[in-house]
Amino acid sequence: MTLQEQLNTPQRAKLRGVDYRLLVESGALDRYARTELIDGEIWAMNAAYSAHAKLQAAISFALMTALRDAGSSLVVFTAVSVDLSDDANPEPDLVVAEDHDKGPLPLAKVRLVVEISDTTLNNDLGRKVSLYAAAGVPEYWVTDVEGKVIHQLWAPEGEAYAQRSEVAFGGRIEAVTVAGLVVEGALA
C-alpha cells in the first residue's frame, strides 16, 4: 500500500496505556464498571457474580497463606491493572507480585497471573494466553470453574507458553516460577 493509499484509508486508532488511564481517571468509562486495555482496545468485562467472587477470595487466601508459609515478601493483588505494554493494561483476577503502591502494577514486578474462568474460558485460554506470554509474564494459571481444573502455564515463548499442566480442584499445585509457593486442596 502506498503512502497516499494509507492516508486515504481509514485506520483503527489504538489507545496507549497512558491514554486509557486518562480515560479511566476522568470517569469517561464509569458506565462500564470494569474495563481493561487489550491490544490498544478497551474491553468491557463481565460482571463478577457470587460464584466467581467466592472462588477469587478462596484462591487469594490460599495464595497469601502459601506465600506467608514460604517466607516470601511477594503480595497478592486482586483485580489490579497491570501495565503489560504500551497498549495493554489488563485487569487479571489475581496477581502475585512484588509490592507496589502507585498506579498500575509494572510488568517487571509480576510473578504469577491468575484468571478465574466461569464464563471466559475461551478468552482466558486464547487471547489472554497470547497477551501474557508475549509480554513475558512468567507463569499464568487459568481456573476453569466448569472443568474443575487449574490450567498452569509457564515458560513464555512468543505468544504461547512452552510448558503446561492441569491440576484438578483439590489437588496440589506448585508454582514453577515462585519459590516455595504451594497450594494444596484450596479448591476442593
Side-chain angles (χ1 to χ4, degrees), residues 96-185:
V96 174
E98 295 173 29
D99 202 4
H100 186 72
D101 290 326
K102 186 175 180 185
L105 187 60
L107 174 61
K109 294 190 173 205
V110 174
R111 300 295 173 265
L112 168 67
V113 167
V114 180
E115 293 284 9
I116 298 166
S117 299
D118 46 353
T119 61
T120 58
L121 186 62
N122 289 338
N123 189 51
D124 292 339
L125 287 176
R127 186 176 198 159
K128 292 262 179 107
V129 166
S130 299
L131 180 72
Y132 293 136
V137 170
E139 189 167 350
Y140 177 46
W141 296 359
V142 178
T143 306
D144 177 355
V145 175
E146 191 172 312
K148 297 196 182 305
V149 298
I150 299 173
H151 301 271
Q152 181 182 22
L153 302 91
W154 68 96
E157 290 182 3
E159 291 187 359
Y161 284 90
Q163 301 292 317
R164 299 174 159 241
S165 70
E166 286 185 8
V167 177
F169 280 17
R172 179 181 196 270
I173 186 166
E174 184 172 347
V176 175
T177 61
V178 180
L181 179 60
V182 179
V183 176
E184 294 196 52

Side-chain angles (χ1 to χ4, degrees), residues 33-54:
R34 297 178 60 212
T35 61
E36 55 187 357
L37 183 70
I38 309 291
D39 295 329
E41 298 175 344
I42 298 172
W43 286 74
M45 299 186 315
N46 295 344
Y49 294 120
S50 299
H52 184 279
K54 185 177 173 183

